[in-house]
């Protein structure tokens, strides 16, 4: 019986560069209020959202991803040819096949990098980051590009009072590469499929194709159920990620949760008993909920504004449709 050799990867992995892209169109709450019976005060108090970005026809999933990825690659100090794999998390690439990752890998100029899409909703960035870490440690790639990208405006029902104001568009990307010391902690992840009805697409694409429904499918959710789950269950997951990394909340510099709702963010920070010294990402206010893109976009903004700095220790956690979740502790690039 032949003996299979183990891969020769790096001892550890780390995030080396981050980039983001926000569409040029900024949409204030007043635009949302044209279609729903609500108020700017209600939207801000319920979600924290003041504005969001919506993509135009040229700002496709691929185009936004390429812009964000170029910044991440430059920040990592490598060339596109060195990228060995491209992982894209998205639920708004409307071609079943081929994966948009293949188009992105080609247009960036990679050397035939492995490329694939994943569908893990708002936890997708964490899923992609975990896969990238494994590739680098195993040795199947030296550098991996992880992209979270969404055009959620395409799946938003502007007449749904519960969700019309929530979603935005954008892309965030990171380059993950080799490290001589731990810089991406163990991932605590999982799913609760028994709660899958709480966040979902209204109907399958086939219902629209066959004329069963006339309205294009959209994302809907049971707001209160999602809120309770996120606040109580995700606080436990976040704590497990801290424990797995061997650190306490007092040792954190930055907290970057999925930007779903500012009340959820505040509740998580309170439950985790984060000290005032910890910077908490609140990109939700001007970007809205961008699903898989929200964590890398928030990370990029914190570093760009100086609210966080290279080498800081950050807890990241994503959670959403599925219901799925993923949390880990990382060293910022």
């Amino acid at each position: 019986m032949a003996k299979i050799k183990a891969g020769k990867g790096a001892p550890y992995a780390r995030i080396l560069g981050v980039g983001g892209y926000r569409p040029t169109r900024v949409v204030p709450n007043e635009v949302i209020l044209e279609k729903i019976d609500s108020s700017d005060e209600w939207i801000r108090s319920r979600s924290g959202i003041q504005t969001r970005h919506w993509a135009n026809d040229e700002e496709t999933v691929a185009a936004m991803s390429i812009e964000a990825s170029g910044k991440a690659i430059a920040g990592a100090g490598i060339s596109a040819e060195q990228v060995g794999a491209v992982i894209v998390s998205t639920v708004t690439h409307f071609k079943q096949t081929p994966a948009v990752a293949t188009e992105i890998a080609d247009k960036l100029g990679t050397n035939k990098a492995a490329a694939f899409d994943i569908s893990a909703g708002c936890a997708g960035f964490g899923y992609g980051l975990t896969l990238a870490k494994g590739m680098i440690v195993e040795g199947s790639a030296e550098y991996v590009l992880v992209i979270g990208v969404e055009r959620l405006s395409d799946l938003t029902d502007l007449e749904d009072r519960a969700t019309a104001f929530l979603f935005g568009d954008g892309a965030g990307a990171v380059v993950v590469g080799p490290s001589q010391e731990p810089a991406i902690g163990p991932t605590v992840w999982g799913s609760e499929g028994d709660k899958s009805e709480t966040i979902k697409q209204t109907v399958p694409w086939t219902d629209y194709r066959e004329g069963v429904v006339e309205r294009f499918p959209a994302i809907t959710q049971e707001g209160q159920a999602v809120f309770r789950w996120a606040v109580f269950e995700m606080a436990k997951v976040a704590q497990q990620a801290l424990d797995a990394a061997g650190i306490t909340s007092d040792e954190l510099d930055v907290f970057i949760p999925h930007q779903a709702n500012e009340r959820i963010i505040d509740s998580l920070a309170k439950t985790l008993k984060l000290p005032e010294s910890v910077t908490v990402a609140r990109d939700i206010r001007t970007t809205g909920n961008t699903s898989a893109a929200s964590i890398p976009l928030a990370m990029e903004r914190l570093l760009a504004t100086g609210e966080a700095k290279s080498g800081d220790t950050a807890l990241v956690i994503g959670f959403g449709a599925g219901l799925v979740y993923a949390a880990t502790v990382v060293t910022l690039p």
Side-chain angles (χ1 to χ4, degrees), residues 30-309:
E30 285 73 20
V31 172
I32 306 298
L33 295 172
E34 294 173 3
K35 295 285 186 72
I36 61 172
D37 180 17
S38 187
S39 68
D40 177 64
E41 180 183 3
W42 188 90
I43 293 173
R44 292 187 187 220
S45 65
R46 299 289 292 182
S47 68
I49 299 172
Q50 303 167 19
T51 60
R52 75 284 292 143
H53 295 255
W54 283 355
N56 60 33
D57 291 344
E58 289 73 38
E59 291 167 322
T60 63
V61 165
M64 292 191 294
S65 297
I66 290 166
E67 289 290 333
S69 298
K71 297 174 184 177
I73 290 169
I78 66 168
S79 65
E81 291 87 350
Q82 292 175 275
V83 174
V86 177
I87 304 171
V88 177
S89 178
T90 185
V91 298
T92 48
H93 174 57
F94 291 151
K95 288 183 180 178
Q96 193 70 36
T97 194
V100 72
T102 59
E103 177 185 351
I104 295 166
D106 176 63
K107 289 185 175 178
L108 283 172
T110 68
N111 184 20
K112 300 181 180 179
F116 58 96
D117 298 351
I118 60 174
S119 177
C122 305
F125 175 74
Y127 275 51
L129 188 65
T130 303
L131 294 173
K133 173 186 173 182
M135 290 178 185
I136 290 159
V137 173
E138 187 272 337
S140 58
E142 185 176 10
Y143 299 100
V144 179
L145 180 64
V146 179
I147 303 166
V149 57
E150 301 293 2
R151 274 181 53 124
L152 288 172
S153 57
D154 290 334
L155 281 179
T156 299
D157 181 352
L158 294 178
E159 296 179 0
D160 180 2
R161 188 174 184 271
T163 61
F165 59 91
L166 286 175
F167 302 120
D169 303 337
V174 299
V175 170
V176 182
S179 175
Q180 293 302 308
E181 59 184 30
I184 301 176
T187 300
V188 177
W189 57 353
S191 66
E192 297 186 29
D194 61 316
K195 300 180 180 66
S196 61
E197 291 295 302
T198 56
I199 306 175
K200 64 179 182 179
Q201 183 172 307
T202 49
V203 296
W205 301 115
T206 49
D207 281 7
Y208 181 72
R209 181 190 67 189
E210 296 165 4
V212 176
V213 295
E214 295 183 356
R215 295 185 67 128
F216 193 73
I219 295 175
T220 185
Q221 70 175 29
E222 298 173 14
Q224 288 302 315
V226 173
F227 182 88
R228 288 193 298 270
W229 176 78
V231 168
F232 295 108
E233 298 303 322
M234 291 306 97
K236 298 174 187 176
V237 171
Q239 185 59 56
Q240 289 169 13
L242 289 174
D243 295 341
I247 69 171
T248 65
S249 59
D250 291 339
E251 296 174 285
L252 275 180
D253 300 304
V254 185
F255 179 42
I256 311 177
H258 165 48
Q259 302 294 290
N261 181 301
E262 192 166 28
R263 291 194 300 151
I264 292 175
I265 294 170
D266 289 341
S267 295
L268 287 174
K270 182 178 180 180
T271 302
L272 290 169
K273 298 179 180 178
L274 298 182
E276 291 186 6
S277 60
V278 175
T279 297
V280 178
R282 300 184 187 281
D283 200 38
I284 181 76
R285 294 173 178 172
T286 56
T287 306
N289 180 344
T290 55
S291 189
S294 78
I295 290 175
L297 277 174
M299 183 183 296
E300 184 246 9
R301 174 163 282 174
L302 289 176
L303 289 167
T305 60
E307 295 173 82
K309 62 184 185 299

